[in-house]
Amino acid sequence: MTSVTYTAVPNARRGTAEPVAKLLHEHWERLGTRRGTRALGAFKQAVLVLRWFIDGARLVQLARDNGISTTTAYRYLHEGLTVLADHAPDLATALERAPAAGYTHLNLDGTVIRTDCVAAPGPNKADLWWSGKHRHHGGNVQVISAPDGWPIWVSPVRPGRETPSRSHRDANSTSGRKTFNKVIRGIHGVAERANALFKVTFKALRRVSLDLGSITRIVRAARALLQMEHGRTT
């Protein structure tokens, strides 16, 4: 059987891949990695990470395209996630930078990152990672964003079960409550831009097949990539 080959071009600027490669190279230097001991150079590994994030490319395909084993591809991806996640600001840093950037207020909104995990019963036997609101397994992540909806910080992941349930349609039937909810929806719409930016930009965040413990690193790494891609200072 004759194989079909093609060239994959990730939807990312070279100006994003190069900073990622630089972070990887600096990471290798800290580890004391010797020259010539890596299957891929820093730039090619950066492209591998970006293809997984942006295009949702399968690790099997990434391994084949780079002439490495699937195990090595997984290791290089997780290494890239860790390096990028460490580059994302923590909560204290994000809050310190906000006033300097001239932000008058900040928004807080949560999103559920869909996962392929199996049932994980909690203390009361209920499935911890099942989101009743979204009706699928997932991890709950809180996002703080600027007034224009730009994400400045993402929280560690929590089980999807902690997502609030939808309220009953008659619960907010009074006129005053409806007016209040209308105002809140307008504000909330701005906050939702941050979550939408993550999932529109990165296909990998629409459904995570890696272990649940990786979701925190994935969303933090995505935050770092957004800043590189858009050149924002916060």
Side-chain angles (χ1 to χ4, degrees), residues 160-182:
R161 185 174 178 79
E162 296 181 3
T163 309
S165 302
R166 295 182 183 275
S167 60
H168 191 274
R169 67 175 61 183
D170 295 328
N172 300 315
S173 58
T174 65
S175 177
R177 175 59 65 177
K178 288 180 179 179
T179 301
F180 175 80
N181 287 344
K182 186 176 182 179

Side-chain angles (χ1 to χ4, degrees), residues 58-182:
R58 296 178 302 132
L59 266 299
V60 173
Q61 183 66 52
L62 293 173
R64 185 181 301 118
D65 291 347
N66 287 281
I68 58 179
S69 69
T70 304
T71 300
T72 300
Y74 269 102
R75 188 171 73 251
Y76 282 2
L77 172 63
H78 281 285
E79 181 181 47
L81 291 176
T82 298
V83 169
L84 283 168
D86 288 345
H87 194 64
D90 59 21
L91 179 58
T93 301
L95 294 179
E96 287 174 1
R97 291 175 179 174
Y103 298 153
T104 57
H105 65 280
L106 298 174
N107 306 305
L108 175 64
D109 190 36
T111 187
V112 171
I113 306 296
R114 187 166 187 158
T115 71
D116 291 331
C117 74
V118 295
N124 62 352
K125 308 301 182 183
D127 191 345
L128 284 176
W129 295 89
W130 176 260
S131 171
K133 178 179 179 180
H134 297 86
R135 299 194 178 280
H136 59 67
H137 284 95
N140 186 354
V141 176
Q142 299 297 308
V143 181
I144 293 179
S145 60
D148 63 352
W150 172 257
I152 67 170
W153 177 80
V154 288
S155 75
V157 68
R158 297 292 303 170
R161 185 174 178 79
E162 296 181 3
T163 309
S165 302
R166 295 182 183 275
S167 60
H168 191 274
R169 67 175 61 183
D170 295 328
N172 300 315
S173 58
T174 65
S175 177
R177 175 59 65 177
K178 288 180 179 179
T179 301
F180 175 80
N181 287 344
K182 186 176 182 179

